[in-house]
Amino acid sequence: MTFPMYVAPEQVVREKSEFARKGIARGRSIAAIEYADGVLLLAENPSTALKKISEVYDRIAFAGVGRYNEFELLRKAGIRQADLMGYLYSRDDVNAQAVATMFSEALGAIFSREPKPYEVEVLIAEVGDPNRLYRISYDGTLFDERRVAAIGGKAEVLAENLRKAWKEGLDVEAALAIGKEAFRVAEGRESEGWEAAVLDRTNGRRAFRRLQLSE
Amino acid sequence: MKLSLPLLFDIPAPGSSFTDLLKTLGYTASLDIGGGAESLRTPEGTTVLALRFQGGVVMIGDRQATEGNQVAHREIRKVFPADLFSAVAIAGTAGLAIEMVRLFQVELEHYEKIEGSRLSLEGKATFLARLVRSQLPMAFQGLFVVPLFAGYDLLSGRGRLYTYDVVGGRYEENNFGSTGSGASLAKSYLRANFAENFTAEQAVDVGVGALVSAAQEDTATGGPDLRRGIFPTVLVIDSDGVKELSDTEVRPAAEKAVENIR
C-alpha cells in the first residue's frame, strides 16, 4: 500500500499562489475610478470583441483579468446570482456585496481544493451612496476599496498612481485622463487600445454604459 | 468529487436563458392544481391591441380587470416595455400574465448581459411563445394567458407585431393585432380605419378609437374614464426605443374617441 507524500500546507499555498500570480502578471490591468456621477472602469484591451468589463445589474458592474475562460465563468455566475435575487425578491435587494462575497467563496474554495487555482482577479463596482469597489484575488481574499482600485499584473503601481492623481468631484473626462496617464506610467509604454465603461447615476435604471474612446 | 461551491457557479451550464436557470435550480413551482379551476374566480385582463405606423408600432391597452361580472381593478396595467425596443401586452388571467411579463423582462435583460448582445425581435417573439406554451396545463384548467408582442426590428428597420394563442402558437401580423375579450370588436374597427402611411399620432388616435369602440359592446373592456382621469396605456416604439405617453398626451386622443361614439 502506498501513501501519498506529505506536503506541508504552507508549501502548497505558497506554490499555488506563485502559480496564480504568475498567470495574472502576464495579463493587462484594469482600473476603477470614482467620479462625481459614478464609477469609471478602464481596461487596456487591444481586442474589440473580447470584453473584460460587463454589466451585472442595474447599478453593478464586473471587471476581470487573467484567464478569459475563468473570469468569464465568474462573470456569468455573478449575473445569474443578481438576476435571481432581483427576480425572487426585488430589484432593490440586489447589492454588490452579495455578488463579491459569492466570488470570494467560489475563488477561496477553488484555491484550497482544486489542484490548479484560478489565475484571475476580479473587481465589482457599484454606484450608489456611497459607491462600492470590491477587489477579489485568486485565493478569494476580498478587499473593500475607496475612490480607486486596480487589478492585474501592474495593479499595485497603477493604484498608487491613481491615488496620487485622484481628486474629489472629478468629471468623467478628468477621470479618464488620470486613468490613462496612470496606465502609461505603470506600463512605461503607450496603450494598444482601451475598453471603458461607466456606472453613471444619471443613466436611469441601468447605470452601465460602454464608452467609445476615439483612440 | 463535488465541490461545495456557491450554487450558481457549479450548475451544469444552463446557457443564457434565465427561465432555464430557474428550472435547473428548481424555482419553477409546478402548479398541479388538478380539476376545479373553472370555479376559481381571478381577475382577468381584457382588451389590448397594437398597430403599425411608418417607422414603428404603437401598443395600447385598457386599464380594467374583471372578475366574473365585477370590476376587479380599474387602474391595472396590461402593457409593459419588454426591453429598450419591444413591448408586451397581456390578456387573460392577470396574476399569471403579469408574472409571465416579469419573467420575460428578466429573460431579455439576462440574455443581453450574458451574451453581450440583444436577441433579435423574432428571437424575443419565439421565446415568448415558449413561455405561453409552458402555461398550457393551466389553460386546460381555465387559467389562460394570451400576450401580444410588438417591437422595432433593428435588422429590418420597421415595427413588427405578433399575436399568440393559448398553445403558444405565434403569428406575425402585417398591420394590426388585438387580443382579449374585446379583440374582435377592436379588430373590426382597425380593419375599417387602418392606413399604411399612418404617423405615430394617427396610429395613437385610431388605436384609442378602437379601444373605445370595443368598450361600447364588450362590458369587460374599460374605456377612458375622463371623470376619474384614467386613460389607456399607450406605448410608442420606433428606432429611438419604447416611449410611454403620459396621461396628458393620451387625453386628447381619448376625448376625441369618446366624442365620436354614437
Side-chain angles (χ1 to χ4, degrees):
Chain A
M1 197 175 167
T2 55
F3 291 93
M5 194 173 63
Y6 176 76
V7 185
E10 291 92 337
Q11 191 187 339
V12 176
V13 169
R14 194 168 55 239
E15 284 175 3
K16 280 184 173 178
S17 295
E18 265 170 37
F19 171 81
R21 276 206 206 98
K22 258 187 243 163
I24 295 163
R26 275 194 295 272
R28 295 184 169 84
S29 309
I30 299 181
I33 306 160
E34 288 186 34
Y35 65 96
D37 287 325
V39 181
L40 166 75
L41 295 167
L42 182 65
E44 198 188 352
N45 185 1
S47 166
T48 52
L50 302 176
K51 300 278 192 264
K52 298 178 172 188
I53 302 172
S54 156
E55 176 183 16
V56 173
Y57 210 64
D58 295 352
R59 324 216 127 248
I60 306 172
F62 168 98
V65 294
R67 285 185 85 88
Y68 182 78
N69 62 323
E70 292 174 352
F71 70 69
E72 184 66 7
L73 271 176
L74 288 166
R75 183 186 78 87
K76 285 183 178 158
I79 294 171
R80 281 180 194 137
Q81 160 153 318
D83 276 343
L84 198 59
M85 296 267 287
Y87 176 74
L88 295 177
Y89 305 110
S90 151
R91 297 198 85 87
D92 301 331
D93 297 318
V94 180
N95 59 58
Q97 191 173 340
V99 178
T101 307
M102 189 265 281
F103 287 166
S104 168
E105 286 168 12
L107 285 171
I110 289 164
F111 185 81
S112 54
R113 293 178 203 170
E114 293 276 277
K116 184 196 98 61
Y118 272 20
E119 301 155 72
V120 293
E121 247 184 312
V122 295
L123 203 149
I124 291 290
E126 180 178 44
V127 57
D129 191 22
N131 299 326
R132 301 273 180 208
L133 298 174
Y134 296 102
R135 186 161 61 81
I136 305 107
S137 65
Y138 56 86
D139 60 353
T141 317
L142 178 59
F143 301 90
D144 174 14
E145 305 275 6
R146 282 285 131 79
R147 297 184 189 119
V148 298
I151 51 172
K154 294 280 180 356
E156 274 172 35
V157 48
L158 187 58
E160 188 58 39
N161 293 341
L162 288 170
R163 245 174 252 125
K164 273 188 230 150
W166 193 87
K167 282 192 281 301
E168 190 76 42
L170 293 168
D171 61 14
V172 68
E173 286 81 18
L176 256 179
I178 69 165
K180 286 178 177 178
E181 178 59 20
F183 267 96
R184 203 183 56 77
V185 173
E187 299 283 348
R189 58 175 168 77
E190 293 302 318
S191 161
E192 291 158 12
W194 298 107
E195 180 188 346
V198 291
L199 284 169
D200 195 303
R201 63 183 106 248
T202 62
N203 278 346
R205 176 172 72 80
R206 291 171 78 177
F208 185 85
R209 287 284 183 285
R210 293 193 183 280
L211 301 181
Q212 306 301 329
L213 302 186
S214 52
E215 271 193 342
Chain B
M1 183 185 75
K2 177 113 170 116
L3 288 173
S4 60
L5 287 176
L7 200 55
L8 301 166
F9 202 76
D10 204 21
I11 47 176
S16 31
S17 167
F18 183 74
T19 311
D20 292 350
L21 175 68
L22 286 181
K23 214 170 285 170
T24 311
L25 297 174
Y27 280 109
T28 38
S30 63
L31 295 160
D32 187 11
I33 46 173
E38 291 87 15
S39 57
L40 206 65
R41 292 226 306 195
T42 52
E44 287 189 14
T46 51
T47 314
V48 290
L49 59 92
L51 66 155
R52 286 183 55 210
F53 63 92
Q54 279 195 326
V57 57
V58 297
M59 196 174 238
I60 301 174
D62 74 323
R63 303 287 298 276
Q64 186 160 293
T66 54
E67 215 175 290
N69 62 339
Q70 298 194 323
V71 173
H73 301 281
R74 230 178 268 287
E75 287 188 80
I76 199 175
R77 186 189 171 92
K78 292 182 275 183
V79 181
F80 305 86
D83 65 356
L84 284 177
F85 291 97
S86 64
V88 58
I90 48 157
T93 310
L96 297 177
I98 289 169
E99 193 53 29
M100 183 189 284
V101 169
R102 218 164 74 83
L103 180 57
F104 187 54
Q105 288 167 329
V106 176
E107 175 72 38
L108 298 187
E109 195 179 305
H110 188 76
Y111 181 97
E112 185 185 329
K113 289 188 289 196
I114 293 274
E115 294 296 320
S117 62
R118 277 189 205 105
L119 275 171
S120 66
L121 192 73
E122 183 153 335
K124 294 173 203 170
T126 307
F127 191 85
L128 186 57
R130 212 180 113 192
L131 286 184
V132 175
R133 195 169 302 120
S134 71
Q135 298 277 345
L136 189 56
M138 306 286 278
F140 282 115
Q141 311 294 335
L143 302 172
F144 64 94
V145 180
V146 186
L148 183 65
F149 179 67
Y152 184 79
D153 187 358
L154 293 160
L155 296 174
S156 64
R158 66 193 173 97
R160 293 171 73 175
L161 63 125
Y162 299 85
T163 55
Y164 295 83
D165 61 24
V166 281
V167 298
R170 187 203 73 176
Y171 312 96
E172 180 164 8
E173 306 287 345
N174 277 331
N175 298 319
F176 54 83
S178 177
T179 177
S181 59
S184 58
L185 296 160
K187 276 190 279 192
S188 318
Y189 184 95
L190 290 170
R191 199 168 291 117
N193 292 285
F194 181 84
E196 292 271 345
N197 56 358
F198 269 169
T199 63
E201 292 74 30
Q202 287 170 317
V204 170
D205 281 352
V206 169
V208 172
L211 202 63
V212 170
S213 169
Q216 296 314 302
E217 303 206 16
D218 174 40
T219 52
T221 303
D225 191 332
L226 299 175
R227 191 177 65 78
R228 288 197 184 88
I230 303 171
F231 295 99
T233 315
V234 180
L235 298 186
V236 178
I237 311 155
D238 58 17
S239 56
D240 293 333
V242 180
K243 183 184 170 248
E244 177 161 355
L245 299 193
S246 66
D247 283 352
T248 358
E249 289 170 296
V250 178
R251 184 181 267 275
E255 282 173 349
K256 209 186 308 175
V258 171
E259 238 161 69
N260 287 343
I261 296 170
R262 275 180 286 272

